[in-house]
Amino acid sequence: TEIYTLSLHDALPIWLAAWSAPVDVNRASVAELASLDGIGPKLGARIVAARPFVTVDDLARVRGIGRRRLTRLRPRLFLDEGAVDRVR
């Protein structure tokens, strides 16, 4: 029997997906964003590149995120409003 170990950094996206934990779109890593249903590493990277977001609706300006996808993702997304000023 082989035992696999994951670092906290590697395990966090798995944990977020398993628990449907909300993700801060202005602070999440590409891996954390990829834990969201329908968001892979490429779309996650586009989200990171388009930061900062003032509202969750601002995600609609990212290529690959349409109204339907945004509606489906909304329950898992949030913005730490204090983080917006730190990201700018």
Side-chain angles (χ1 to χ4, degrees):
T1 304
E2 293 185 43
I3 297 175
Y4 296 96
T5 59
L6 291 174
S7 71
L8 180 58
H9 181 271
D10 293 334
L12 185 60
I14 296 166
W15 180 86
L16 288 170
W19 290 95
S20 298
V23 174
D24 182 344
V25 295
N26 278 331
R27 299 177 80 186
S29 68
V30 171
E32 290 166 337
L33 291 165
S35 78
L36 299 167
D37 188 36
I39 306 290
K42 288 182 181 180
L43 186 50
R46 286 198 299 264
I47 292 169
V48 169
R51 289 175 179 163
F53 301 103
V54 177
T55 69
V56 171
D57 291 330
D58 289 344
L59 278 167
R61 73 175 189 245
V62 177
R63 185 173 49 89
I65 298 190
R67 273 194 328 221
R68 279 187 291 173
R69 181 170 288 176
L70 185 56
T71 299
R72 192 174 64 243
L73 292 172
R74 189 177 304 281
R76 295 265 329 265
L77 303 175
F78 78 98
L79 291 168
D80 175 0
E81 295 182 13
V84 173
D85 293 328
R86 291 190 298 272
V87 173
R88 286 185 186 171

